[in-house]
Structure formats: structure tokens, C-alpha cells
Amino acid sequence: MTDIVDELKWRGLFSLSTDEDALRKALADGPVTFYCGFDPTAPSLHVGHLVQVLTVRRLQQAGHRPLALVGGATGLIGDPRPTAERTLNDPETVAGWVGKLRSQIEPFLSFEGRTRP
């Protein structure tokens, strides 16, 4: 692969961009600081989060600086339900979920060197 955009496309992790040429240039000129957010609405990540985590890892391995954010307030309002209103989550419960999600994300990122979060 010649650049991270090609690699992400090859892996099926990149589909559309408002300006792909500008994105390629920014990533090539890098390093770029970027973020990926995770809502703490449960005590564990699920397999769907793996796509985000691995994309963040690949971008970091390409020399970019990730900010992996595990929210707090977003977890308080809970996930939408098709048949009922959202339920408010207890702040202590959400704080516990934040810690658990953080511990699940941390092994995938490097906290050493210039690309550390």
C-alpha cells in the first residue's frame, strides 16, 4: 500500500469523502490528530466497535495521533429504544462503564512516542 487511504479502502474501512484528494494530502503531510468517540451506554464494547478501534489503530500505526474519547454525558441518556423512551442511567454506573470501555480500547493503542493519544 502506498498510503493509509489506499489501505483503508482495501480493507473496506473507507468508502466516501467530501474531498479525498485533500484528505490524502493532509494524511501524507501529517501527522494528523483525529478523534473517535465511544458512547458508554453499556459495560462493554461490542463487535461493531471493532471496526472503529482497528481503524484508529491503523491510522496511529501510519503515524497519526488518535484521540479515543469515551464519553460521559452521552451515556447518561441511554440508547434509543424502538418501543419506549430512553431511560436515564445512573452517573456512577456510567462512570463504571467508561472505565471498562477504556480498559478494552487501551490495548489496541500505543501510549509511547509522538503518536500517543
Side-chain angles (χ1 to χ4, degrees):
M1 299 290 153
T2 58
D3 68 26
I4 188 63
V5 173
D6 288 339
E7 180 177 345
L8 295 176
K9 280 186 165 191
W10 180 79
R11 294 179 180 280
L13 298 171
F14 180 98
S15 181
L16 298 172
S17 173
T18 55
D19 189 340
E20 187 174 323
D21 292 334
L23 176 62
R24 282 181 188 277
K25 182 175 180 344
L27 293 171
D29 292 346
V32 170
T33 300
F34 66 96
Y35 86 96
C36 182
F38 301 87
D39 289 338
T41 55
S44 181
L45 297 174
H46 57 73
V47 73
H49 290 109
L50 187 59
V51 172
Q52 292 172 255
V53 171
L54 293 178
T55 301
V56 168
R57 178 180 171 88
R58 294 204 184 283
L59 284 162
Q60 185 181 40
Q61 289 172 328
H64 304 288
R65 185 168 184 261
L67 300 175
L69 303 175
V70 178
T74 54
L76 294 174
I77 62 168
D79 283 329
R81 307 266 186 249
T83 59
E85 291 291 321
R86 294 175 187 243
T87 57
L88 291 178
N89 294 313
D90 180 64
E92 290 78 25
T93 299
V94 173
W97 292 346
V98 167
K100 289 179 180 182
L101 270 58
R102 178 182 175 162
S103 69
Q104 292 173 344
I105 294 167
E106 283 180 333
F108 292 93
L109 301 177
S110 170
F111 291 86
E112 304 295 325
R114 65 180 183 83
T115 63
R116 68 184 180 275

